[in-house]
Amino acid sequence: MHRKSAVTLLVAACALGVSASLLAQGNPIKIGVDTPLSGTYAPIAQQVKWGLELAAKEINAAGGVMGRQLQLIYEDGEANPAVATQKAEKLFQVDKVDFLTGTVNSGATLAVGQVAERNHRLMATTVSFADSITGDKCSPNVYRVNAKAGQQSAALAAWLVQAKPKARVFFLGPDYEMGRSTVAAFKSAAEEKGAVTVGEVFAPLGNKDYSPFFGQIRAARPDVLYTSVAGNDTVRLFSQLDEYGLLKGGMQVVGASGTVTSQNMGAIKKAAEGFVTGVGYSPEIDTPENKQFVKAFEAANKALPDLYGADSYGVLYFYKAAVEKAHTTDADKLRAAMADLEWKTPQGTKKMRAGDHQAIQDMYAVKLSGGEFRIISKVPGAAAIGADECKRF
Amino acid sequence: MHGLIDALQFIFAPQIVNGLSIGVAVILMALGLTIIFGLLDVINMAHGEFYALGAYLAVSLLAAGVSFWLCLIIVPVLMLPVGYVVERLLIQRVFDRRDRHVLTLLLTFGLGVVLEDAFRLIFGPNTVRMETPIGGAADVFGMYFPNYRLFVMAIGAVIIAVTWVVIFRTRIGAMVRAAAHDRQMASSLGVPVARVYSATFAFGIGLAGLAGVLLAPIYSVFPTMGKDFILLAFTVVIVGGMGSIKGAVIAGIVLMQVQALASLYISPVWTEPLLFGVMVLVLMWRPQGLFGKLGNG
Amino acid sequence: MADAGAVIAAVRHSEHARHHSLTGFALAFIVLGLLFAAVAAWRGDVFFFRLATEALIFGGLALSVDVLLGYTGMLSLGQALFFGLGAYVSALVLKNVLPSFWLAMAVTLAVATLAGFVAAVISTRARGVYFALITFGLAQVVAKVVFNTPSLGASDGIIGIPVITIDLVAFDVDTASAAAFFLFCLAFVMALYFLCAYLARTPAGRVLAAIRSNEDRVPFLGYPVGLVKVLAFVLAADVAALSGALYPMLRGFVSPELLYFEVSGNAVITVIIGGMGTLIGPLYGSVLIVGLKSVIGSYTTHHLIVIGTLFVFAVIFFPQGLVGYFKPPLERRLAARRAAVRA
């Protein structure tokens, strides 16, 4: 009983503390970052953080947005929708942020999107690539500045049809919504362009041993193996493929953009050499903006930016462009300003499609060579974007 | 006919051998678990985390330049005092209470939670991959099989055999079995029961740690790796019989074969629930498992 | 040889003392809840109301764990199964059938009772550790099924559960109003508590306590142990599911994480820290744990180490938990007061 009063007092103290710090800093624009700082997605959240901080620093040094400084407020969403929504609500209600970003997995993005709707504010994701976020589960308050799975598949399929026409493809995906839908998306894109499916198998998420599937793969003798596993699963799959000698003999491994990332690349090392995927960003993109961005990013963080870092950097410029166009941070006016808004990013100019809040951008097929992703082909934005499937607005 | 041979060669045989390889891994985990339960009547919910601890210790030692083969010896030795201390300081405190079973389960569960987060804190959430110490693969009748996995199977068999010998053919083993069978009687015959308990727990933990080192090159190392095998290990222990080494080995082999072959016909996601169903059936109709308690081999 | 009558009187006396002290804790909880509501409402707060409501909802889950653990000695490591089941059923009803609170609750109750019965038949044959493992495995399997079922939203869960209005005869409660919904959940969870506390004092409830003491002897006293255990299990399943059914009303979504072991494990930790066997302890424990997590979470991402260590500490040194610790002094004071009145 004594403890309950202590908790209430503590709670009141926290609220007071927050208001006090608010008054101390003038009138900044607050950006809430609800991102999984702990857990398996922590490395992605790290890139997100780096990207946001670099952009915020640059924007603030140049005078801020409409004269107001940007302030980033972080909360750990733990990649769990239940926690992420709680933290999002804290950011909106207690910290009174004007805009929210940072969600990584699609379940969290969708759930937090609802919180944003209920709080009449906007949010953007820079990582989640599930098509549903700007497709059948779209929301008027949710924006996506990164490329979705459909765009990535389009880039990869376009490259494949050039490099290996009529390839025999074997699919190995993790058995859950995202895994199955990425496999399905690539399968239809590839088959349309003449590839032949020679096998399809789904392993449980978190599967430890992929060797039971290797017999089938061997029997099917594919030219290409497509996989959409991620994180730890990728490390295991690739090292076991290597163990069993399946990576010799010229089989090309391709996969989803989330399969090999800065998070697991260090662990996979040479086994991932030659891996090809479709992405919306590479540090190699040859534009002056990108070169400058990569240099500044590397200087600040001693690491190259990946797609998450680059897109998170871009989201603050997107927000800035919208606020400057609308002359306010009010959600409804911002939404109007964001319709078909174009803004500059290290990847070139992106356009935010009004119909589904999806960014249109050029896509690339990249190949992992010597530990770095090198661009091997490019698909223009309009070709990669796909149809607007959002019916809600 | 050709199709049948092809199937046998490419699908069934590799599947069976794979099942054996995974089976050895699970048995190594189950061995420590069943010994700890057989003697101490303690369900070690943190067993998976000790497995992970072994792997992380190996990672640290490797980073310091120690060779993998030395790690195989050093890590279990390092784990022994850890197990001893945990048993002495934590488990023995709740041992004499009425709710012992529940409390030790809860205690080890809490310990597991703390350990897992500690791994995350110290080593970070990313996966660490360990180089395979024996590279290359053997080509046996057209079946391609990595040398290291063959090694693990061989070593696993040796470990199981040594464990059996220690428990059933040595004096220490006799003391352990006596204390398991009748604590008071053993004590009155001069067996230092408290120390035997701690030592047995330590031994079980050492086995878990050794399994961690052995399997790290195959399955990689990350904070939640303890959860990889734990449910399977428990299933094997229960089906085989809590406290029975023979049971753990037989159940391990059989169940993993069931899983391996079943995954050819049903979606692999459902093979674990299948095994779980087997466990439930065993619990409902023959709760002591196939071979019962430690005293029965 | 002690006088039988005196023994019975003494037992009854201590039972009364226990009942009164626990009711005291329950009333104190309500008072604290109302105080909190008053302060938060005055500050126009939303976040802390919702956080507190979440604490209540998960408190209900912990309550269900205590019904099994504290009363019958059955440790369930998979109670999240019913909690998540209730959440999903409620979400589906509210979103796809009719946004009616009563309908959602009725369907949840029906489904949970059926599922609870099936699960009870499977698991209550086993005891102790085996029972715990079966419940653990059952929850894992169902979580996997839900995770892989596209019509249940698969890994993303179900979003878009509408804000509803709860039609109580005298007035309406709007779930969008953080304060009103908090008060409603407080009433709802306390109702569940009082129901469980009442059932514990019935003859059937006493059989449960007897089972916890020494299960083997109970059949010799003529009681149907198996049946009573099944009933207790179904009750716990219903309490967990009804609490879970409140979740989508609060947050507007459900996801497979609600069925995961983390949730079950957390509930067990809450019960131990709050006070095993007291039924009201878990509610206090839930408030404490949710508050702790939120506070610690602002400083470090490793809150599990803190809570885990606290839990291990509690298991070894304070297995009677928070309420259990404060109960004896309160009981003594109440007994002393009664003696003074009588004298």
Side-chain angles (χ1 to χ4, degrees):
Chain A
M1 302 167 304
H2 309 290
R3 280 197 214 181
K4 186 70 206 285
S5 342
V7 169
T8 319
L9 271 172
L10 191 61
V11 153
C14 287
L16 274 172
V18 166
S19 348
S21 66
L22 253 179
L23 291 168
Q25 277 179 36
N27 190 15
I29 296 183
K30 286 185 258 175
I31 312 280
V33 186
D34 185 353
T35 193
L37 296 166
S38 68
T40 36
Y41 290 122
I44 296 183
Q46 176 71 89
Q47 280 271 344
V48 167
K49 191 166 178 222
W50 282 337
L52 287 170
E53 301 211 315
L54 184 60
K57 198 170 101 182
E58 286 178 7
I59 293 175
N60 285 342
V65 178
M66 291 201 340
R68 296 167 66 187
Q69 298 278 289
L70 288 178
Q71 184 191 10
L72 299 169
I73 303 180
Y74 292 90
E75 284 288 349
D76 183 7
E78 293 178 27
N80 180 342
V83 178
T85 43
Q86 202 198 86
K87 298 292 165 81
E89 194 156 62
K90 179 156 184 252
L91 287 166
F92 283 130
Q93 290 285 333
V94 177
D95 299 301
K96 304 227 187 307
V97 300
D98 299 289
F99 185 73
L100 190 132
T101 184
T103 51
V104 164
N105 68 330
S106 47
T109 303
L110 289 170
V112 170
Q114 266 194 173
V115 178
E117 277 182 43
R118 289 179 186 193
N119 283 277
H120 305 295
R121 259 162 284 188
L122 306 177
M123 72 163 277
T125 177
T126 60
V127 177
S128 303
F129 56 80
D131 287 328
S132 55
I133 293 173
T134 48
D136 56 300
K137 294 188 185 156
C138 60
S139 155
N141 291 46
V142 177
Y143 287 83
R144 172 160 41 201
V145 299
N146 56 304
K148 62 178 177 176
Q151 289 165 287
Q152 294 165 345
S153 286
L156 188 58
W159 168 79
L160 188 65
V161 87
Q162 280 175 282
K164 284 188 189 274
K166 301 223 190 347
R168 298 162 55 85
V169 187
F170 192 99
F171 293 89
L172 194 156
D175 199 349
Y176 77 120
E177 180 64 25
M178 176 66 85
R180 283 188 179 262
S181 60
T182 37
V183 164
F186 183 71
K187 192 165 161 206
S188 63
E191 278 178 350
E192 214 179 291
K193 294 193 158 53
V196 175
T197 301
V198 294
E200 188 179 283
V201 79
F202 290 99
L205 194 63
N207 189 38
K208 342 164 224 324
D209 205 326
Y210 290 91
S211 54
F213 306 113
F214 294 165
Q216 283 172 276
I217 296 181
R218 236 197 213 109
R221 296 177 227 274
D223 302 310
V224 175
L225 174 69
Y226 176 88
T227 180
S228 50
V229 295
N232 293 336
D233 294 354
T234 315
V235 179
R236 287 194 274 211
L237 174 63
F238 278 51
S239 46
Q240 286 164 9
L241 280 170
D242 198 13
E243 245 192 311
Y244 277 75
L246 279 165
L247 292 178
K248 308 182 193 141
M251 179 174 74
Q252 172 69 54
V253 182
V254 304
S257 67
T259 299
V260 178
T261 65
S262 52
Q263 172 200 3
N264 51 21
M265 203 148 49
I268 309 177
K269 294 184 250 216
K270 280 195 254 103
E273 193 73 1
F275 175 76
V276 177
T277 182
V279 292
Y281 177 79
S282 160
E284 280 195 326
I285 294 176
D286 198 5
T287 63
E289 290 87 17
N290 190 41
K291 297 232 172 307
Q292 198 180 7
F293 164 66
V294 172
K295 200 159 136 220
F297 194 96
E298 244 185 323
N301 307 305
K302 312 220 186 331
L304 277 176
D306 64 11
L307 45 146
Y308 311 121
D311 286 326
S312 303
Y313 175 86
V315 80
L316 286 184
Y317 279 97
F318 166 68
Y319 184 70
K320 173 171 185 277
V323 172
E324 285 172 353
K325 186 167 161 197
H327 298 295
T328 172
T329 57
D330 168 70
D332 293 317
K333 300 211 176 71
L334 268 182
R335 194 182 295 123
M338 286 174 178
D340 291 324
L341 178 69
E342 289 187 2
W343 80 103
K344 283 178 87 74
T345 72
Q347 298 114 304
T349 305
K350 291 199 199 185
K351 179 167 159 181
M352 179 58 72
R353 184 157 71 177
D356 58 357
H357 295 181
Q358 172 65 51
I360 303 176
Q361 60 172 94
D362 294 335
M363 299 295 297
Y364 304 88
V366 293
K367 181 187 216 143
L368 195 61
S369 306
E372 283 181 19
F373 276 112
R374 306 215 168 273
I375 300 180
I376 53 180
S377 95
K378 179 171 166 178
V379 172
I385 185 69
D388 177 346
E389 280 168 20
C390 170
K391 302 204 177 9
R392 208 173 140 190
F393 51 85
Chain B
M1 193 60 190
H2 207 58
L4 182 63
I5 295 193
D6 246 358
L8 268 171
Q9 182 183 42
F10 281 120
I11 301 188
F12 285 108
Q15 207 69 329
I16 292 176
V17 180
N18 271 320
L20 270 178
S21 148
I22 302 178
V24 166
V26 175
I27 291 173
L28 286 175
M29 274 279 268
L31 216 53
L33 208 56
T34 204
I35 288 174
I36 290 176
F37 185 79
L39 170 65
L40 294 178
D41 225 11
V42 167
I43 293 296
N44 184 15
M45 293 288 285
H47 205 75
E49 276 67 45
F50 286 113
Y51 160 80
L53 180 61
Y56 271 112
L57 278 175
V59 165
S60 311
L61 286 172
L62 279 170
V66 180
S67 94
F68 180 81
W69 307 108
L70 268 180
C71 282
L72 273 180
I73 302 174
I74 298 181
V75 168
V77 168
L78 280 179
M79 301 281 292
L80 290 177
V82 172
Y84 196 92
V85 165
V86 165
E87 208 279 333
R88 213 55 203 283
L89 282 187
L90 295 178
I91 297 183
Q92 274 193 9
R93 276 184 207 258
V94 295
F95 207 62
D96 293 316
R97 306 210 199 143
R98 225 164 39 111
D99 293 341
R100 177 178 80 212
H101 277 128
V102 170
L103 285 179
T104 52
L105 200 153
L106 290 173
L107 183 64
T108 51
F109 160 66
L111 188 60
V113 168
V114 174
L115 276 175
E116 188 189 298
D117 212 15
F119 293 142
R120 212 173 281 134
L121 179 67
I122 301 174
F123 295 99
N126 280 355
T127 307
V128 177
R129 186 185 158 196
M130 211 182 275
E131 284 302 330
T132 313
I134 308 178
D139 204 326
V140 181
F141 300 115
M143 279 192 305
Y144 204 70
F145 214 73
N147 289 331
Y148 185 67
R149 291 204 189 211
L150 293 170
F151 169 73
V152 169
M153 284 201 283
I155 277 272
V158 168
I159 293 172
I160 294 169
V162 166
T163 306
W164 193 89
V165 162
V166 165
I167 300 228
F168 288 104
R169 292 280 180 269
T170 66
R171 190 148 176 267
I172 293 181
M175 282 201 279
V176 167
R177 280 183 293 133
H181 200 70
D182 191 334
R183 183 180 173 176
Q184 257 114 4
M185 188 58 99
S187 178
S188 66
L189 285 172
V191 173
V193 172
R195 254 185 268 166
V196 166
Y197 276 22
S198 303
T200 313
F201 189 83
F203 182 69
I205 298 301
L207 274 176
L210 179 57
V213 183
L214 267 179
L215 298 173
I218 302 180
Y219 298 115
S220 299
V221 183
F222 50 97
T224 56
M225 67 188 281
K227 302 245 169 28
D228 265 0
F229 284 112
I230 197 71
L231 187 57
L232 274 178
F234 270 117
T235 306
V236 165
V237 166
I238 287 174
V239 172
M242 296 263 211
S244 165
I245 297 179
K246 186 162 76 174
V249 173
I250 295 181
I253 295 179
V254 170
L255 287 179
M256 289 307 110
Q257 285 305 319
V258 167
Q259 184 180 42
L261 292 170
S263 68
L264 288 176
Y265 299 104
I266 62 177
S267 169
V269 185
W270 301 114
T271 53
E272 216 176 89
L274 175 70
L275 289 181
F276 169 74
V278 170
M279 175 178 103
V280 172
L281 286 175
V282 168
L283 276 175
M284 285 172 82
W285 272 288
R286 200 189 152 88
Q288 72 272 35
L290 292 174
F291 295 102
K293 250 199 170 255
L294 190 65
N296 303 342
Chain C
M1 177 138 166
D3 172 18
V7 169
I8 293 174
V11 168
R12 204 166 276 163
H13 193 75
S14 81
E15 258 206 28
H16 275 304
R18 178 166 202 265
H19 174 66
H20 284 305
S21 72
L22 285 180
T23 312
F25 279 106
L27 293 173
F29 190 79
I30 297 178
V31 167
L32 286 167
L34 292 173
L35 262 172
F36 164 79
V39 171
W42 173 63
R43 309 194 76 252
D45 170 82
V46 167
F47 170 68
F48 289 106
F49 264 131
R50 296 240 168 91
L51 191 64
T53 312
E54 220 177 84
L56 286 172
I57 291 177
F58 285 99
L61 170 63
L63 174 65
S64 81
V65 170
D66 198 21
V67 165
L68 286 176
L69 179 61
Y71 264 89
T72 328
M74 301 196 275
L75 172 64
S76 166
L77 288 176
Q79 209 64 1
L81 166 61
F82 300 105
F83 181 80
L85 182 70
Y88 266 84
V89 168
S90 166
L92 288 168
V93 169
L94 291 175
K95 187 173 178 196
N96 301 331
V97 179
L98 194 70
S100 153
F101 172 80
W102 297 109
L103 182 65
M105 284 299 172
V107 177
T108 302
L109 190 61
V111 173
T113 307
L114 184 62
F117 185 74
V118 171
V121 166
I122 298 177
S123 55
T124 54
R125 277 185 191 237
R127 285 204 226 170
V129 155
Y130 305 104
F131 173 81
L133 284 173
I134 293 185
T135 56
F136 174 73
L138 275 175
Q140 297 279 78
V141 170
V142 175
K144 194 165 271 198
V145 171
V146 170
F147 190 78
N148 283 303
T149 309
S151 51
L152 291 176
S155 52
D156 288 338
I158 306 176
I159 59 165
I161 289 123
V163 167
I164 63 169
T165 315
I166 304 171
D167 185 8
L168 304 169
V169 178
F171 51 90
D172 288 343
V173 173
D174 184 358
T175 56
S177 157
F181 194 56
F182 167 76
L183 290 171
F184 177 77
C185 287
L186 180 63
F188 190 86
V189 171
M190 289 313 293
L192 287 175
Y193 163 75
F194 282 118
L195 173 69
C196 293
Y198 169 73
L199 287 173
R201 300 179 72 220
T202 60
R206 291 197 216 180
V207 176
L208 286 180
I211 291 176
R212 182 166 170 228
S213 281
N214 191 331
E215 186 168 339
D216 295 310
R217 288 217 185 124
V218 178
F220 292 105
L221 293 170
Y223 293 106
V225 171
L227 177 64
V228 171
K229 277 164 93 170
V230 166
L231 288 176
F233 193 93
V234 172
L235 171 68
D238 285 341
V239 169
L242 289 174
S243 303
L246 292 171
Y247 187 87
M249 297 180 202
L250 173 70
R251 293 289 183 202
F253 80 95
V254 290
S255 73
E257 279 86 359
L258 292 174
L259 291 135
Y260 285 4
F261 177 63
E262 279 69 32
V263 175
S264 301
N266 207 56
V268 173
I269 293 180
T270 306
V271 169
I272 298 294
I273 290 186
M276 183 167 67
T278 60
L279 292 181
I280 190 67
L283 293 178
Y284 277 99
S286 185
V287 170
L288 180 66
I289 299 274
V290 169
L292 257 180
K293 270 202 199 162
S294 194
V295 169
I296 298 176
S298 313
Y299 293 106
T300 164
T301 57
H302 296 280
H303 55 83
L304 277 179
I305 289 189
V306 178
I307 293 185
T309 313
L310 186 65
F311 174 69
V312 170
F313 198 71
V315 170
I316 299 181
F317 297 110
F318 294 107
Q320 72 278 43
L322 202 62
V323 169
Y325 185 74
F326 286 109
K327 194 158 66 75
L330 185 60
E331 273 177 1
R332 266 176 271 143
R333 204 178 289 171
L334 286 176
R337 197 178 298 171
R338 176 163 299 151
V341 164
R342 244 176 236 159

